[in-house]
Amino acid sequence: MGIQKSISFCKTGKFVSAITIAAALLTGGANAEDVVRLGNLKLAHFGAVSYTSQMGAKCPVKVEERVFAKGTEIMQAILAGEIDVGASGSEAAISARAGGVPIYIVAGFATGGARLLRRPDLNISTVRELKGKKVGVTRGGIQEILLAAELAQNGLTWSEQGGKDVDIVYLLYPDLNQALMAKNLDAIMQTEPQSAQAVVQGFGVELPRPYDTPVGSPARTLVMSEKMYENKALAAKYMGCFVEATKSFIADPALAEKYVTQTMFKGQVSSEEFKAAISNAPYSFDISVEHIQVTTDAMAKYGIAKMTKAAPASEYVKLDLLDAAKK
């Protein structure tokens, strides 16, 4: 329609610069089409994903970021058609796909990101010594999967209702730190940067890292709606932007630290806390079908997320866009 209108201007004798028309059409087309709506979480290792919204001319699409409280909320927003790309723990993506949310896992963006912490006055050094203790964790997160795998591997039973080896208390990430500080809990399985803050500030002491089970070091997932994935040109542009942002954070730790501590957390996370958090949750972009399948199997085994029937990872882990962007 824009081209027909410009021709009619010429026929009626109204001079319109061809360059002006072309620029307007191209700019209007780019603004109307090349917008990606990103759902993200406010966590240190989600920083590179967030940075795609700040890259300006380095990113060939306009990224509109919206921050959510939980990964499950991002998946609900994708289902509602409000979000095109989302960053979450793998468990949220697995549960969403099992529940019929039309998404593909297209990349990873960080690994690790969990610590098992005890109170400083509790003299234990192993998972097995958590028997008879009260342990906090956030329900449904990757930390719950890691905790279940660790307890099972060490021959311990657990329940929220009592009567088992370990009493489980479900709290949100900020509340876990408060409960540990107040000595209302003996230990917590916590995310980053909250777990790094607990260690740096001295109210949490780290037990062995929870990466020695079949789940391994968990990968965080970048997902796309099926609709976005099928728009190959736009999807490829965003993936190129994501890979560039991630490479920038890996190559320039000072850039990553400044963005996360000042822009994301507004000075609420110190330099020391950031460095400690990222040492346990390094930025990455790789993920595998095998890793998602192992995580899926662990969720089913321990009854996390109560999935009726989980989809095989091979059906919705699509890494072609990532492979092309990395090249």
Side-chain angles (χ1 to χ4, degrees), residues 119-136:
R119 294 187 345 234
D121 61 326
L122 187 65
N123 189 23
I124 65 171
S125 59
T126 66
V127 173
R128 197 176 296 274
E129 291 174 284
L130 289 174
K131 185 172 183 178
K133 303 297 188 292
K134 190 181 291 186
V135 180

Side-chain angles (χ1 to χ4, degrees), residues 36-43 45-52 65-75 77-78 83-93 103-110 219-225 238 242 246 264:
V36 174
R37 300 166 300 170
L38 168 67
N40 203 9
L41 302 181
K42 187 180 174 181
L43 297 170
H45 42 309
F46 287 62
V49 177
S50 175
Y51 192 61
T52 61
E65 183 184 27
R66 181 177 159 193
V67 177
F68 292 80
K70 297 187 293 186
T72 51
E73 293 178 1
I74 294 175
M75 301 305 157
I78 291 176
I83 294 295
D84 305 305
V85 179
S88 75
S90 56
E91 78 293 337
I103 56 164
Y104 291 125
I105 293 174
V106 294
F109 61 84
R220 301 306 189 273
T221 56
L222 187 72
V223 305
M224 276 186 186
S225 68
Y238 180 77
F242 161 72
T246 305
M264 289 181 69

Side-chain angles (χ1 to χ4, degrees), residues 30-39 49 52-53 59-66 82-86 222-225 228-229 231 233-239 241-242:
N31 287 340
E33 180 184 359
D34 293 345
V35 174
V36 174
R37 300 166 300 170
L38 168 67
V49 177
T52 61
S53 67
C59 186
V61 294
K62 179 182 178 182
V63 180
E64 297 176 346
E65 183 184 27
R66 181 177 159 193
E82 299 169 359
I83 294 295
D84 305 305
V85 179
L222 187 72
V223 305
M224 276 186 186
S225 68
M228 168 82 173
Y229 177 83
N231 184 346
L234 184 59
K237 285 180 182 179
Y238 180 77
M239 187 57 70
C241 184
F242 161 72

